[in-house]
Amino acid sequence: MIRFEHVCKYYSAKTSDMEEQISALVDINIEIKKGEFFVLFGPNGSGKTTFLKMITCQEYASAGKVFWGEQDLSEMKKRHIPYLRRKVGMIFQDFKLLYKKTAFENIAFVLSAIDLPKEVIFDKVCRILNKVDLIRKKNLYPYQLSHGERQKLCISRALVNNPEIILADEPLANLDMQTQDELIQILKKSNQEGVTVIMATNNPRIEFNDISHRLLKLVGGKAKE
Amino acid sequence: MIQHAMREAKNNFSRKKLANLSAIWSLSISILIMGVFFLIGTNLNKVINDLKEKVGVVVFLDDDLTIEEISSIRKKIFNMGNIEDITYTSKEEALSDLGKDPEIAHYIKMIGENPLPASFNIKLIDKNMEQLNNIAKRIGFFEGIKEVRYGQEEVKNLNKIIFFIKSIGIGLGIILGLISLSMVYYTIHLVVSLREDEIRIMQLVGATAGFIRMPFLLEGLIAGLLGGGLGLGFMGGSYYLLILRFEGILFLPWFIIAALGAAGILVGFVGSFISIQKYIEI
């Protein structure tokens, strides 16, 4: 489904008197199959977020190619990118919730952004909030929710439109173990329903537990499977 | 999508009412000023057209011409083409017309003889300056012609004044239009920057550029429409007050009104388009 072929990503950084190239990813070759639960494991700065961003065309490879099916993402026209992103549910490390909107509105906003009718939005949002056990808190604002509940809200927003892939960037950060387990269960359940899950994390629990089908270690932008 | 865009545009408008009202006000003043200059130009054009109607070529004849010679000159002039009418005024008739003014009659009495020449007053069919100039020049070469006049200096000067006034109007309008454009730009920019997080999330979840852009464009269009409408409204009101005091003043032709309205909408649209563009990069 998603294929990285000799993908490299460099950033230019200017030091005092010269320009330096910083490698975010170095020669990544990997194929992620449909329905897989794939974990990217690595410390901060290892290139995990860059890897995820390439799948949604937020970043482009400096060398190599990224494929979604047969489509080379570097050749995708800009006007087609929004339709690609509708197939993806994203869970962000910093949540990216809108703090002036309620829990319900945060999820509904995503569906209205893709121009779904009001009745459909209401139905979908209620169902997903039910699924993550946040339905009673639908009228609360993010600041009124706990850290774990905010992350659940984030996951709900990612799942609400039945995506083909979930990209989760450090979804377990700063959560207690019980909440981590709850969230992993939600992701596993979605995966069992056919959704491909790609999760980036530096949580050692993930490295040593049998959560994923496959785990790829990233160190300094290089892959170690 | 349209409903969503209109709802969002309305929300954006309410969020930054003062900034939007400033942009609308600035735009309306620009349209008003441009309109005033066009109004002055339109009415001066009317004056010049009226003048042109009266302007013909006046040919003053030598004093010692016989009736046959006068008739021959008249025929020659008529055969040049583009002549609507030729009216002959004899020396005596010219004296009689001028003598109606008692002061002039007194001076003429003092001179003791008739200083006024006989003349032809020629009306042309096509009265443009080039034709007038052409015919006057040709007549000037005829024998028996003392002088040819056609009010060329007056018409030329008026044309220059009109051109000058219209140029100032357009120049000022452009400057004010650019100021209004930048006001619309900054107003939309302000609203967009307040909603930057929302826009970013919309892009990440698959909203198209058009979907994100449309509410802001609508907001700019509405500001442009209101600004243009207000400016034209001020113009209409001012015109109404003017015609209460002065008769015969023309209002703007419909195509100028339409152009000013369209200019207002265009400024609003362009200002908001430029403003949102950098936030839309996918």
Side-chain angles (χ1 to χ4, degrees), chain A residues 17-32:
Chain A
D17 49 342
M18 57 181 199
E19 211 168 278
E20 208 185 311
Q21 267 201 339
I22 297 169
S23 307
L25 292 172
V26 181
D27 195 31
I28 303 295
N29 289 282
I30 193 91
E31 185 170 353
I32 301 164

Side-chain angles (χ1 to χ4, degrees), chain B:
Chain B
M1 183 162 149
I2 304 286
Q3 270 183 338
H4 167 268
M6 290 194 73
R7 196 174 51 243
E8 289 299 309
K10 188 180 148 230
N11 288 339
N12 290 342
F13 221 90
S14 312
R15 236 172 273 208
K16 287 286 149 203
K17 269 191 206 127
L18 198 59
N20 275 305
L21 287 173
S22 305
I24 291 168
W25 181 250
S26 154
L27 197 50
S28 69
I29 299 296
S30 310
I31 299 291
L32 176 64
I33 290 175
M34 273 185 82
V36 163
F37 278 93
F38 273 112
L39 191 72
I40 294 171
T42 301
N43 282 280
L44 279 176
N45 256 337
K46 181 176 178 278
V47 166
I48 208 173
N49 285 335
D50 288 348
L51 204 72
K52 276 186 186 172
E53 284 298 313
K54 294 185 179 120
V55 162
V57 180
V58 179
V59 180
F60 296 107
L61 304 171
D62 288 340
D63 287 340
D64 53 357
L65 295 176
T66 62
I67 290 176
E68 289 80 23
E69 281 168 332
I70 291 170
S71 195
S72 168
I73 292 171
R74 187 198 170 104
K75 222 181 190 172
K76 261 198 230 172
I77 293 170
F78 211 87
N79 288 340
M80 285 167 76
N82 193 30
I83 306 295
E84 188 183 315
D85 185 46
I86 302 176
T87 310
Y88 173 72
T89 306
S90 65
K91 283 172 70 78
E92 294 72 30
E93 280 167 337
L95 183 67
S96 165
D97 283 341
L98 209 58
K100 286 174 183 157
D101 187 323
E103 207 171 314
I104 295 174
H106 172 72
Y107 284 121
I108 291 170
K109 211 176 178 181
M110 277 175 66
I111 295 168
E113 56 172 3
N114 183 359
L116 301 174
S119 63
F120 283 124
N121 200 331
I122 303 166
K123 276 203 168 67
L124 302 187
I125 299 166
D126 182 356
K127 295 181 179 71
N128 77 62
M129 285 306 297
E130 206 180 312
Q131 286 291 333
L132 281 168
N133 196 34
N134 187 31
I135 284 184
K137 258 194 186 151
R138 286 163 67 188
I139 294 172
F141 290 119
F142 291 175
E143 285 219 21
I145 305 298
K146 191 183 255 182
E147 195 185 340
V148 183
R149 282 194 201 167
Y150 59 95
Q152 59 270 47
E153 284 307 311
E154 289 80 3
V155 170
K156 220 193 257 179
N157 288 337
L158 262 175
N159 271 330
K160 274 187 190 166
I161 291 170
I162 290 174
F163 179 75
F164 183 68
I165 288 172
K166 279 186 176 170
S167 301
I168 290 186
I170 290 170
L172 212 56
I174 289 172
I175 291 168
L176 289 169
L178 287 170
I179 292 171
S180 305
L181 193 142
S182 56
M183 287 200 75
V184 171
Y185 170 88
Y186 282 112
T187 302
I188 302 292
H189 184 77
L190 194 62
V191 175
V192 170
S193 61
L194 287 173
R195 300 189 62 191
E196 205 173 340
D197 287 345
E198 281 184 38
I199 291 170
R200 190 71 192 122
I201 293 173
M202 284 167 84
Q203 286 173 325
L204 290 173
V205 301
T208 59
F211 186 87
I212 298 169
R213 200 186 274 135
M214 198 176 277
F216 300 103
L217 291 182
L218 265 178
E219 193 186 341
L221 267 172
I222 292 168
L225 197 66
L226 291 175
L230 199 62
L232 288 172
F234 284 146
M235 273 239 58
S238 311
Y239 174 72
Y240 178 73
L241 290 172
L242 268 175
I243 57 166
L244 288 178
R245 293 195 71 183
F246 305 104
E247 270 181 35
I249 298 178
L250 296 177
F251 195 53
L252 296 170
W254 69 266
F255 58 88
I256 299 277
I257 297 172
L260 288 173
I265 293 171
L266 190 68
V267 164
F269 181 83
V270 170
S272 57
F273 186 87
I274 298 169
S275 181
I276 186 72
Q277 206 46 28
K278 76 161 192 163
Y279 291 95
I280 293 295
E281 280 174 26
I282 300 283

Side-chain angles (χ1 to χ4, degrees), chain A residues 151-173:
Chain A
Q151 193 56 295
K152 276 193 193 176
L153 186 60
C154 232
I155 291 177
S156 314
R157 186 177 60 187
L159 291 173
V160 72
N161 203 29
N162 304 318
E164 288 180 25
I165 297 181
I166 290 175
L167 301 179
D169 192 357
E170 301 283 4
L172 310 177

Side-chain angles (χ1 to χ4, degrees), chain A:
Chain A
M1 187 180 195
I2 304 288
R3 198 167 75 248
F4 280 59
E5 282 182 5
H6 300 290
V7 169
C8 301
K9 178 69 182 177
Y10 308 112
Y11 294 104
S12 295
K14 270 198 177 134
T15 52
S16 52
D17 49 342
M18 57 181 199
E19 211 168 278
E20 208 185 311
Q21 267 201 339
I22 297 169
S23 307
L25 292 172
V26 181
D27 195 31
I28 303 295
N29 289 282
I30 193 91
E31 185 170 353
I32 301 164
K33 292 190 172 52
K34 192 170 162 32
E36 263 198 276
F37 195 125
F38 184 88
V39 169
L40 265 176
F41 183 84
N44 292 334
S46 57
K48 304 189 297 296
T49 304
T50 306
F51 185 100
L52 295 180
K53 281 184 174 180
M54 284 189 176
I55 297 171
T56 53
C57 300
Q58 291 175 73
E59 294 279 0
Y60 290 94
S62 306
K65 289 180 191 294
V66 179
F67 290 88
W68 183 313
E70 295 308 315
Q71 171 73 54
D72 178 356
L73 294 185
S74 65
E75 287 174 8
M76 184 173 254
K77 289 194 170 81
K78 280 202 169 171
R79 57 190 161 87
H80 293 153
I81 292 174
Y83 301 98
L84 176 87
R85 290 180 182 171
R86 290 180 193 190
K87 298 180 194 175
V88 177
M90 282 192 269
I91 301 166
F92 304 99
Q93 186 175 6
D94 57 354
F95 304 148
K96 286 196 179 11
L97 292 170
L98 298 169
Y99 287 86
K100 287 185 182 175
K101 292 188 188 289
T102 62
F104 184 97
E105 287 165 349
N106 262 282
I107 303 174
F109 172 74
V110 161
L111 299 179
S112 68
I114 57 173
D115 210 16
L116 291 184
K118 264 188 181 165
E119 320 75 50
V120 171
I121 292 175
F122 184 81
D123 184 47
K124 283 190 171 220
V125 174
C126 286
R127 270 190 217 212
I128 200 71
L129 284 173
N130 234 335
K131 202 170 175 178
V132 300
D133 199 27
L134 280 179
I135 191 71
R136 280 187 300 263
K137 299 193 177 186
K138 69 178 195 300
N139 292 323
L140 297 183
Y141 290 89
Y143 76 89
Q144 293 172 306
L145 301 173
S146 69
H147 197 82
E149 284 168 340
R150 281 182 225 162
Q151 193 56 295
K152 276 193 193 176
L153 186 60
C154 232
I155 291 177
S156 314
R157 186 177 60 187
L159 291 173
V160 72
N161 203 29
N162 304 318
E164 288 180 25
I165 297 181
I166 290 175
L167 301 179
D169 192 357
E170 301 283 4
L172 310 177
N174 302 316
L175 297 175
D176 58 71
M177 284 209 197
Q178 187 186 341
T179 314
Q180 284 183 16
D181 288 338
E182 273 182 51
L183 293 183
I184 290 169
Q185 286 314 309
I186 295 171
L187 290 174
K188 274 184 104 173
K189 197 172 173 212
S190 295
N191 180 242
Q192 282 159 9
E193 288 167 2
V195 179
T196 307
V197 175
I198 304 173
M199 184 166 86
T201 185
N202 61 10
N203 191 320
R205 289 185 71 207
I206 304 301
E207 190 187 8
F208 298 109
N209 285 348
D210 186 21
I211 288 163
S212 59
H213 294 136
R214 254 195 314 162
L215 185 138
L216 177 73
K217 277 186 191 176
L218 277 181
V219 179
K222 292 179 185 161
K224 290 181 183 178
E225 210 162 350

